[in-house]
Amino acid sequence: MKTSDFYFDLPQEQIAQDPLEDRSASRMLVLDKETGETIHTVFKRIVDYLQPGDCLVLNNTKVIPARLYGEREGTGASIEILLLKRKEHDIWETLVKPGKKAKIGTKIIFGGGLLTGEVIDIVEEGNRLIQFAYEGIFEEILDQLGQMPLPPYITHQLQDKNRYQTVYAKYEGSAAAPTAGLHFTPELLRQVREMGVNIAEVTLHVGLGTFRPVKVDNVLDHHMHSEFYQVTEEAAQIINETKAAGGKIICVGTTSCRTIESAAGADGRVRPGSGWTDIFIYPGYRFKVLDCLITNFHLPESTLLMLVSALAGREHVLAAYEEAVKAGYRFFSFGDVMLIV
């Protein structure tokens, strides 16, 4: 299976640069995974595809303003840092630009000294471990100094930080948003609950590894980065009871999908617990729990496109993507949405 098997042509102007004013007004392409048939509608009609007794699985992670701009102590040279993973207390694994100016022992000053960091180690792929020092509460300082870590294909400035958060975001820890959830509004979620659909919340803190390009020709040679996930007893019970009663499990986003597939045993039952997952789902994978998926349109040759192809078949997915391109759909994080049934 070659990486190039998952290529499609996308005009630059179809990469969404700004979120829509009404989250739920996105266009939605519904794809039948068995037949490849498609329907064009809008996301607020998602309720037409849900039944009482089904279960929506949401990822309630919250994006932290993980991009920091500082200067190197002594020289004043500009340095940009992206927080990837908290390793312990005030030590974070980070991506530093320019990396060559961040040798071990380098000290960086942010916000005129409100926050300082020291490079204490260089780990895989050149990422830096930085130990931070500050007075007060780290999260509050980060909120003051940090910027939302928008993907590199979004060049516009985000006016409202909350537009890169889902309305149900709770637990801080992600370097990127679980973007399929951006389409839900509180009103739409209330409507879903009132019609008797169960909602299970899980947590997966999204790392940038999810979006890193696949640099190998053979898909099987690609190594996924690990991400922290948590499934509560309540969430596991809701999912397992829904499945036992014949309801469908509809994951909102690839992150929710990877969480429950990581937490499930061979018998298809989801176990509560937490840990790190580097699950890589590509065609040939047999889903243990998931039935349907709500997901944005993904980058060519990405692991996310491979996951979607594992569910609906590569030919069906690429044909649907070609149809979406022709119909002028908006792509990627702030773009339109696909429902795979």
Side-chain angles (χ1 to χ4, degrees), residues 157-210:
Q157 195 75 30
L158 185 63
Q159 301 307 312
D160 176 4
K161 276 186 185 179
N162 288 325
R163 291 313 309 273
Y164 195 57
Q165 301 280 20
T166 63
V167 296
Y168 47 81
K170 280 184 192 163
Y171 302 113
E172 294 189 327
S174 276
T179 53
L182 296 178
H183 305 281
F184 279 99
T185 62
E187 296 73 31
L188 196 50
L189 282 171
R190 189 161 52 246
Q191 205 179 335
V192 166
R193 280 193 179 93
E194 285 171 358
M195 62 184 286
V197 173
N198 302 311
I199 292 183
E201 292 189 17
V202 298
T203 307
L204 182 133
H205 292 321
V206 189
L208 291 189
T210 310

Side-chain angles (χ1 to χ4, degrees), residues 131-332:
Q131 179 146 29
F132 289 99
Y134 52 89
E135 285 191 11
I137 298 166
F138 183 75
E139 286 72 19
E140 288 180 3
I141 293 169
L142 194 58
D143 206 43
Q144 193 177 331
L145 299 179
Q147 292 185 14
M148 278 301 185
L150 295 178
Y153 48 75
I154 294 177
T155 56
H156 291 191
Q157 195 75 30
L158 185 63
Q159 301 307 312
D160 176 4
K161 276 186 185 179
N162 288 325
R163 291 313 309 273
Y164 195 57
Q165 301 280 20
T166 63
V167 296
Y168 47 81
K170 280 184 192 163
Y171 302 113
E172 294 189 327
S174 276
T179 53
L182 296 178
H183 305 281
F184 279 99
T185 62
E187 296 73 31
L188 196 50
L189 282 171
R190 189 161 52 246
Q191 205 179 335
V192 166
R193 280 193 179 93
E194 285 171 358
M195 62 184 286
V197 173
N198 302 311
I199 292 183
E201 292 189 17
V202 298
T203 307
L204 182 133
H205 292 321
V206 189
L208 291 189
T210 310
F211 304 99
R212 281 214 170 109
V214 179
K215 293 176 178 169
V216 291
D217 292 334
N218 185 342
V219 168
L220 306 187
D221 293 336
H222 179 69
H223 169 65
M224 290 286 279
H225 288 67
S226 60
E227 296 165 312
F228 181 79
Y229 77 90
Q230 184 160 33
V231 177
T232 62
E233 287 197 20
E234 182 190 7
Q237 186 178 346
I238 292 169
I239 294 166
N240 292 333
E241 286 179 356
T242 298
K243 201 83 176 162
K248 284 195 169 74
I249 305 299
I250 302 116
C251 284
V252 179
T254 56
T255 62
S256 302
C257 163
R258 288 189 296 116
T259 303
I260 64 169
E261 291 294 318
S262 298
D267 59 356
R269 284 183 65 78
V270 173
R271 270 77 164 160
S274 62
W276 295 83
T277 179
D278 59 358
I279 189 170
F280 182 16
I281 297 175
Y282 51 84
Y285 179 86
R286 292 178 70 86
F287 289 87
K288 295 176 279 192
V289 191
L290 171 142
D291 296 300
C292 306
L293 180 66
I294 295 168
T295 185
N296 279 20
F297 289 90
H298 303 294
L299 276 75
E301 301 185 334
S302 63
T303 60
L304 304 177
L305 185 57
M306 292 168 193
L307 183 154
V308 172
S309 298
L311 180 62
R314 186 181 71 92
E315 290 80 8
H316 288 342
V317 168
L318 290 179
Y321 268 53
E322 193 178 333
E323 197 176 313
V325 170
K326 282 183 183 159
Y329 274 66
R330 302 161 74 247
F331 275 66
F332 307 160

Side-chain angles (χ1 to χ4, degrees), residues 2-15:
K2 289 189 160 46
T3 301
S4 57
D5 292 341
F6 298 90
Y7 179 79
F8 66 93
D9 203 27
L10 179 70
Q12 190 77 17
E13 62 271 16
Q14 281 179 248
I15 299 173

